[in-house]
Amino acid sequence: MPNPSPSAQTRPTAENREPLSGLVERVTYHNAENGYCVLRVKVRGHKELVTVVGHAASVSPGEHVHASGLWEQHREHGPQFRATFLRSAPPTTLEGIEKYLGSGLIKGIGPVYGRKLAQAFGERVFDVIETQPQRLIEVPGIGPKRIAKITRAWAEQKIVREIMVFLQSHGVSTSRAVRIFKTYGADAIPLVTENPYRLARDIRGIGFKTADTIAERLGIPKDSMIRARAGVSYALLEAVSNGHCGLPEDDLLKLAEELLDIPQPTLVEAILLEVKEGSVVADTVRERRCIFLMHLWHAEREIADRLTVLAEGEPSWGLMDSGKAVPWVEEKLGIALATSQREAVAKALVSKVLVVTGGPGVGKTTIVRSILKILAAKGVTVALCAPTGRAAKRLSETTGLGAKTIHRLLETDPANGGFKRGAEAPLDCDLLVVDETSMVDVPLMAALLRALPRQAALLLVGDVDQLPSVGAGQVLADIIGSGAVPVARLTEIFRQAAESRIVTNAHRVNAGRMPDLEVPKDGDSDFYFVAADDPEIGARKVVEIVCDRIPRRFGLDAVRDVQVLAPMQRGLLGARGLNLALQEALNGDGSKPSIEKFGWTYRVGDKVMQIENDYEKEVYNGDIGTIVGLDAEEGELAIDFDGRLIPYPFGELDQVTLAYATTIHKSQGSEYPAVVIPVAMTHYMMLRRNLIYTGITRGKRLVVLVGQKRALALAVRTSDEGCRWSKLRELLFGRTEPSL
């Protein structure tokens, strides 16, 4: 059944929801994984059967459903009821009982025995099955084996129903209740009652706030120790979302007090208990006692340990004469390396671990190509990887060798949420090259180094002046800052790159200088600034530039080739507001199939981005795709990611967002033919030099800044002093030991 048109979809609120109840005649569709269902229901006062769509752990013909939601007018199938709450109950009429028993829900009973049981016991049949199952032998054809099967299946269904009623009565939505039941099974009620905060840890899509609401309904006091202890991890996760691996204890206490409204003495005790239990770790960073989430603390130590071991000794290819190798590769590639490049190549040939860093146009790619060409002649086995699909594709194109995303190189293991490659199954290579290393966070770098054989060499390539990773830590900056491994820092801009105003302006910004905003007299440029002092005017100009001016002037496709990069999500010039405006302008055709979920309308043809790693789908944070299909009966979208068609059940659409506009943070590791960057004083909280620098360096052929010069000036003169709290630099430097 196709989905209703967007005009019919109004997000239900407590004020506008309507009740509905009736007998389920037919289950048109039911997805057992997420509970999404399409039902045909006999409702009093309606001549025709009513179509009800919603979520239920299990539902069968003959059951009585109670629902609340909104009526919608479907353009093809007329009115239907979209339920935000849906609860089913065993039938009470003979007609319903017969349908229910004959539906196949209870193993051992089909349509034939369903009719026989209903005729034999009438409305008392459910009591007989539950309390006197031996009486079922009175029905011809039912023997001891079938009775045992029926009894077992009935008990399972009763547990499911009790769990769903319990969860729904404590404010859990039907779709989330299905997830909880799938995770905990028959133990759901005691586990949730004992500690509802475990939901935030165990169930994807349920955070601390949802668990907190459930806890409140269960009568758990706001200042209880169980809430305080869960709140410590919640506060640390808030810090992790800002890139920290941990926080100084006094900062953590202030943050937790603000988030939880719990007095600090209680929180101090909660931290002590969490440390004692091993959920968090206390350690010293920059002479301050810090609290870390356990997995991040371990990951940083593993990175330090493995880098130290890797750096020891000579590369597996032995000693090499760079005085002969460098001229040879220059001849083979038809290039002339600059002095700084020659030195970097020479370092790579004798080092087990090397970092190559520098901005755009300084020749990082040339160095990597040269190193790989020399080592290929020696028969060295090389593996190449990058954090994103786009970055890996670009690495393949520039080197002529196959490159993978880090996740694909490590072979994700959906069953365990980790990787198949590791210490027990290491990578088969003599040299691993990691591009765009500034994007790699602490957990991913730990996993990568865990899979690298001790005898292998490691080449880390990236721009340390870009924004650090979206995830926790600042791995590349910490490795460089520690002085523990050799670093080749390139600063010279080469002649061809210097002709690009994108490159020269990026370096001006990185040096704390305003970019040159004057357009050359001939009007031919790859860098423009469009003034807009008002956010509303700015938003209109962004849409006009993306949809009309860039395609007309430069022949680029507005959806495929142009990417809007905003400093933040909120506001008219934020990624969210611009996404809505650009979706309307570029894909506003109301006749296309669409679905409204999680605050977005998803429409066939929309450009979307994955916003979290999904190891089972092999789609990762930052991957961009296009919606190519929508099937309401199956309850799923089809999204094309670089030729891979991935199905998304409606209940999993919180993993994707519109991507006509995205944040600069999310664009890391990607390059686009053209980028449009709004810069306004409404973004003042986020305006930093490395943010604008990163945004500018995402554009290959064209960069357009839209907004206020004073906002741009503020960003350029504001360096990011807010250093992330991590232990890695000290661990590599060997200055301090942990004090637990």
Side-chain angles (χ1 to χ4, degrees), residues 162-218:
E162 287 175 349
I163 290 169
M164 294 301 288
V165 169
F166 167 80
L167 293 171
Q168 289 169 342
S169 68
H170 288 93
V172 181
S173 69
T174 310
S175 56
R176 281 180 170 155
V178 172
R179 280 185 187 173
I180 293 168
F181 171 71
K182 290 287 178 185
T183 303
Y184 297 142
D187 294 326
I189 292 176
L191 288 175
V192 173
T193 302
E194 179 186 330
N195 183 5
Y197 293 103
R198 69 181 300 142
L199 294 170
R201 185 187 67 221
D202 298 341
I203 314 287
R204 188 186 63 79
I206 296 182
F208 175 84
K209 290 184 178 179
T210 301
D212 205 27
T213 300
I214 297 167
E216 187 176 9
R217 293 202 178 206
L218 285 167

Side-chain angles (χ1 to χ4, degrees), residues 546-572:
V546 171
C547 301
D548 179 48
R549 289 166 65 176
I550 289 177
R552 183 159 37 86
R553 172 79 182 274
F554 297 93
L556 298 173
D557 184 271
V559 176
R560 185 181 63 249
D561 299 328
V562 185
Q563 185 63 53
V564 176
L565 303 178
M568 59 196 300
Q569 286 284 355
R570 297 191 302 275
L572 288 171

Side-chain angles (χ1 to χ4, degrees), residues 22 49 75 77 129 171 228 237-238 410 412-413 428 438 543 596 654 671 706 720 729 740:
L49 295 178
R75 61 179 175 273
H77 302 287
I129 293 173
L237 285 170
E238 288 291 298
L410 296 178
T412 54
D413 184 359
D428 182 18
S438 63
V543 172
E596 185 177 319
D654 53 347
E671 281 187 349
V706 181
D720 191 358
R729 189 173 308 205
L740 301 180

Side-chain angles (χ1 to χ4, degrees), residues 7 134 138 163 167 180 232 248 252 277 426 434 449 477 492 496 520 546 578 580 582 617 625 631 660 679 704 707 727:
S7 60
Q134 68 279 4
E138 298 172 18
I163 290 169
L167 293 171
I180 293 168
V232 167
L252 176 60
E277 191 177 275
V434 186
L449 296 181
E492 181 183 352
Q496 186 176 356
V546 171
L578 290 171
L580 295 172
L582 288 164
K617 293 186 179 73
D631 188 330
Y660 300 101
V679 186
V704 182
K727 180 75 174 175

Side-chain angles (χ1 to χ4, degrees), residues 18 98 199 315 437 453 495 506 554 588 644 651 658 670 712-713 724:
E18 297 181 34
E98 187 173 326
L199 294 170
T437 310
R495 184 172 55 81
F554 297 93
R644 296 174 61 238
L658 293 181
S670 297
L712 180 59
R724 294 181 170 189

Side-chain angles (χ1 to χ4, degrees), residues 335-644:
I335 59 174
L337 295 173
T339 302
S340 60
Q341 291 178 310
R342 284 170 165 255
E343 291 172 353
V345 172
K347 267 186 186 178
L349 297 179
V350 298
S351 303
K352 285 282 301 300
V353 178
L354 176 69
V355 176
V356 175
T357 187
V362 297
K364 296 193 298 294
T365 299
T366 302
I367 288 172
V368 173
R369 284 179 61 218
S370 301
I371 293 166
L372 295 179
K373 186 73 175 176
I374 293 169
L375 294 180
K378 291 286 185 180
V380 175
T381 305
V382 179
L384 289 82
C385 65
T388 67
R390 285 171 177 258
K393 185 178 180 182
R394 192 169 68 250
L395 184 59
S396 291
E397 291 168 352
T398 56
T399 61
L401 300 172
K404 297 179 179 180
T405 64
I406 296 174
H407 290 85
R408 290 201 173 95
L409 180 73
L410 296 178
E411 300 176 21
T412 54
D413 184 359
N416 299 314
F419 300 102
K420 294 177 183 176
R421 293 286 187 172
E424 301 300 317
L427 297 169
D428 182 18
C429 64
D430 301 311
L431 170 68
L432 175 65
V433 179
V434 186
D435 199 11
E436 295 287 357
T437 310
S438 63
M439 286 185 66
V440 182
D441 62 19
V442 163
L444 191 55
M445 182 58 79
L448 190 59
L449 296 181
R450 192 179 305 133
L452 192 60
R454 179 172 182 162
Q455 71 276 10
L458 176 66
L459 177 60
L460 302 175
V461 184
D463 185 349
V464 74
D465 294 320
Q466 285 186 23
L467 289 167
S469 57
V470 174
Q474 47 192 12
V475 174
L476 184 61
D478 281 346
I479 291 173
I480 293 172
S482 72
V485 301
V487 176
R489 182 151 197 164
L490 308 175
T491 56
E492 181 183 352
I493 306 173
F494 294 100
R495 184 172 55 81
Q496 186 176 356
E499 295 172 2
S500 164
R501 295 181 77 230
I502 294 174
V503 172
T504 56
N505 278 328
H507 282 276
R508 286 174 70 101
V509 169
N510 196 34
R513 297 159 57 205
M514 277 289 282
D516 178 7
L517 304 182
E518 293 298 319
V519 179
K521 290 181 180 178
D522 60 8
D524 189 17
S525 177
D526 59 3
F527 188 97
Y528 295 89
F529 178 83
V530 178
D533 285 330
D534 178 80
E536 194 169 333
I537 294 171
R540 285 204 301 270
K541 286 191 175 182
V542 168
V543 172
E544 180 191 354
I545 289 165
V546 171
C547 301
D548 179 48
R549 289 166 65 176
I550 289 177
R552 183 159 37 86
R553 172 79 182 274
F554 297 93
L556 298 173
D557 184 271
V559 176
R560 185 181 63 249
D561 299 328
V562 185
Q563 185 63 53
V564 176
L565 303 178
M568 59 196 300
Q569 286 284 355
R570 297 191 302 275
L572 288 171
L573 285 172
R576 180 173 178 81
L578 290 171
N579 259 321
L580 295 172
L582 288 164
Q583 182 191 43
E584 181 62 29
L586 294 168
N587 195 33
D589 184 355
S591 66
K592 288 185 177 180
S594 65
I595 176 71
E596 185 177 319
K597 276 282 181 183
F598 304 106
W600 296 105
T601 296
Y602 298 92
R603 186 174 293 129
V604 170
D606 275 336
K607 180 179 179 180
V608 293
M609 176 184 282
Q610 179 80 10
I611 57 174
E612 61 181 68
N613 292 332
D614 189 317
Y615 299 108
E616 194 166 340
K617 293 186 179 73
E618 291 191 13
V619 184
Y620 305 106
N621 193 349
D623 287 356
I624 288 180
T626 304
I627 298 175
V628 294
L630 187 153
D631 188 330
E633 284 201 18
E634 292 296 322
E636 66 182 27
L637 293 181
I639 302 178
D640 183 346
F641 288 98
D642 288 330
R644 296 174 61 238

